[in-house]
Amino acid sequence: MNDLSLGEKLFIQGGIAQDLRSDGRKRLTYRPIYVETGVIPQANGSARVRMGGTDVIASVKAEIGRPSPLQPNKGKVSIYVDCSPTATPMFEGRGAEELSTELSVALQRCLLGGKSGAGAGIDLSSLIVVEGKVCWDLYIDGLVVSSDGNLLDALGAAIKAALSNTGIPRVHIAAEASGEDQPELDISDEEFLQFDTSGVPVIVTLTKVGRHYIVDATSEEESEMSSAISVSINRKGLICGLTKRGGVGLDPSVILDMISVAKHVSEQLIDRLDSEISAAEAVEEE
C-alpha cells in the first residue's frame, strides 16, 4: 500500500472530483494498453499486457482430461495467478500469496461464472471431445510482473489475448470404446483449432474514491478507494460475472449505476483490446 502524505491524498481526491486525475486522464479513461502474443513458445497460447506501470502475462496449456460426472458435456478450466515478489514491495512475504488467491478467485468468478459455471464467459462445451469421456482441460496461468494498480482488468485482458492466441490440437477418434472405457485418440501435432474467444468478456473495475468512481485505477488511487466492483461483460453486453472488494458497503442503486457505467466502458475496451490483439498477432506472424 502506498504511504501518501495528506497533501497527496487530497490532490488525488480533488482531481478525481474535478474529473482530472493525477496523470491527466478523465475518470472513465484507461491508460494506453499494449499487447504481445505468443510470448511463451511452449504454451498453447500466451500474451503479455501492459497498462501503464502494470505488466502481466497469461499462458494457456491444454491437456486431455475427463469431464466431471456432474457436467459430462463440458470441459474444465483452471485459473491460477502468481504475483512476482519483485513486482512491488507489498508482494514480499505473505502479501503475494494472499493477493494471488484473491485474484485467482476473482478471475474464476468473472470468467467462469463462479463454481456453478452459470453465465460463464468461457464456453466450456467447446472443450468436449467425447461427451462424458474425453475433454480438454485448460490450465490458465497469470503472472504479475509489475504492479501499478488495476491488476484484475489487466489479467482479464491478458487471458482474453492468450485464449485468442491458443491453438488446440485436432483430435480424431481412432476407436470408439464401450461402457466406461476411454476411446482411443489420435492427437495431431500439426493441425490446430483456434480457440473461439467471441464470447470471452473483458473485466471492467470501477473504483470508488469519495463520491465518484474511476476505471483503471493506479495503485496510488486504489489506496484512497472505499470499495471497488469488477464486472465482466461480453461483446453482447451480457454480464458474465461480478465481484466486489473493499470493506465499505454499497447501496444497490449505486451498484446498478456502476454496472451501467461498466457496460458503456466495456464497449470501448473490447474494441481497443481486439485491435491490439489483431496487431500483436500480425507482428507475431511476420
Side-chain angles (χ1 to χ4, degrees), residues 154-210:
L155 285 163
I159 289 172
K160 185 177 174 71
L163 286 169
S164 73
N165 181 246
T166 296
I168 295 178
R170 186 181 289 278
V171 178
H172 298 281
I173 310 300
E176 292 286 351
S178 59
E180 291 295 307
D181 295 336
Q182 292 290 87
E184 288 183 33
L185 305 175
D186 181 11
I187 302 171
S188 175
D189 53 9
E190 295 178 357
E191 288 184 272
F192 293 87
L193 303 173
Q194 207 64 25
F195 189 83
D196 180 12
T197 58
S198 58
V200 177
V202 293
I203 299 173
V204 176
T205 297
L206 285 172
T207 302
K208 197 166 187 293
V209 179

Side-chain angles (χ1 to χ4, degrees), residues 110-126:
C110 287
L111 299 176
L112 300 174
K115 291 182 180 179
S116 68
I122 296 175
D123 181 11
L124 300 180
S125 61
S126 68

Side-chain angles (χ1 to χ4, degrees), residues 7-282:
E8 288 171 319
K9 292 181 178 184
L10 292 173
F11 180 71
I12 289 170
Q13 293 168 9
I16 289 171
Q18 295 175 45
D19 201 14
L20 183 63
R21 294 156 72 176
S22 305
D23 54 11
R25 289 183 290 149
K26 290 184 176 295
R27 287 193 287 261
L28 300 181
T29 305
Y30 274 81
R31 292 170 287 185
I33 300 172
Y34 302 98
V35 178
E36 291 176 75
T37 54
V39 294
I40 303 177
Q42 61 270 36
N44 290 86
S46 60
R48 183 172 194 166
V49 166
R50 279 171 288 168
M51 292 181 180
T54 291
D55 187 351
V56 299
I57 294 173
S59 66
V60 181
K61 195 74 179 166
E63 294 183 3
I64 286 289
R66 188 163 190 150
S68 161
L70 299 175
Q71 295 181 314
N73 61 339
K74 292 182 179 180
K76 301 192 292 293
V77 174
S78 302
I79 302 175
Y80 176 74
V81 177
D82 185 29
C83 297
S84 169
T86 60
T88 176
M90 68 172 281
F91 286 0
E92 293 172 6
R94 295 281 304 170
E97 289 179 31
E98 290 170 6
L99 186 61
S100 293
T101 302
E102 182 185 322
L103 288 168
S104 301
V105 170
L107 285 166
Q108 198 91 4
R109 281 186 190 146
C110 287
L111 299 176
L112 300 174
K115 291 182 180 179
S116 68
I122 296 175
D123 181 11
L124 300 180
S125 61
S126 68
L127 299 173
I128 280 294
V129 179
V130 179
E131 186 168 330
K133 293 187 176 182
V134 184
C135 70
W136 284 105
D137 291 342
L138 295 189
Y139 296 92
I140 300 175
D141 289 301
L143 173 66
V144 177
V145 180
S146 176
S147 174
D148 185 21
N150 202 29
L151 288 175
L152 197 59
D153 293 21
L155 285 163
I159 289 172
K160 185 177 174 71
L163 286 169
S164 73
N165 181 246
T166 296
I168 295 178
R170 186 181 289 278
V171 178
H172 298 281
I173 310 300
E176 292 286 351
S178 59
E180 291 295 307
D181 295 336
Q182 292 290 87
E184 288 183 33
L185 305 175
D186 181 11
I187 302 171
S188 175
D189 53 9
E190 295 178 357
E191 288 184 272
F192 293 87
L193 303 173
Q194 207 64 25
F195 189 83
D196 180 12
T197 58
S198 58
V200 177
V202 293
I203 299 173
V204 176
T205 297
L206 285 172
T207 302
K208 197 166 187 293
V209 179
R211 292 189 298 109
H212 302 278
Y213 20 89
I214 56 175
V215 300
D216 191 21
T218 63
S219 54
E220 285 189 346
E221 289 170 334
E222 285 181 343
S223 72
E224 297 307 300
M225 79 171 197
S226 56
S227 58
I229 281 188
S230 299
V231 190
S232 61
I233 306 163
N234 67 15
R235 185 176 296 284
K236 294 178 181 177
L238 299 175
I239 295 172
C240 301
L242 188 146
T243 185
K244 176 190 174 293
R245 62 194 172 93
V248 177
L250 290 169
D251 187 272
S253 63
V254 173
I255 294 174
L256 288 173
D257 187 44
M258 290 174 86
I259 290 172
S260 176
V261 171
K263 277 189 175 185
H264 172 69
V265 172
S266 71
E267 294 173 12
Q268 302 160 39
L269 182 58
I270 286 172
D271 288 343
R272 198 156 142 204
L273 194 54
D274 283 350
S275 175
E276 284 292 324
I277 291 170
S278 296
E281 288 177 340

